[in-house]
Amino acid sequence: MAKTPDKYTDALAATRAIYAELAQRPIERACERRTDCCHFKMTGRTPFLTRGEALVAAKALRASGRKSLPERGDGACPLLDAQGRCLIYADRPFGCRTHFCAAAGGPYARGDVVDLIHRLEMIDTQLGGDGARMLPGAIADALRTIA
Ligand code: SF4
């Protein structure tokens, strides 16, 4: 496997640190992997990813042995497998952790996580991005970046 360039290695570490920090925040959540929120066509909402998030997701997908995003014809997240499980749950994007799922507690209040969002945006800028993009395209590009 090709070595990941240093700037991407740093971005991966910084993004994962943000996820770890989010997990330490005293915000009550109860994500039970119901995956309701993974059905984008049904919910009408698709997560937007910064470049760091997309890189983390792409690396996790590669680690699962896949080279490209699985095809889905039903409008659900391409990372949702046939058994209804997230292929990259431990490395899922920020939006998948702070989403709107009512059963999990609804969306995080922006004020509780805005500092983390700004850090994700800074990483995006450092990687030459110009803002968060919809999950499928963002991860497809990241897979090419780390090819
Ligand atoms: S990345 Fe995982 S948790 Fe997020 S929408 Fe896709 S399948 Fe669901």
Side-chain angles (χ1 to χ4, degrees), residues 37-38 40 47 77-80 85-89 92-93 96 135:
C37 61
C38 309
F40 306 156
C77 179
L79 298 172
L80 195 63
R85 292 174 307 219
C86 175
L87 289 168
I88 60 156
Y89 189 79
R92 67 199 187 285
C96 305
L135 182 150

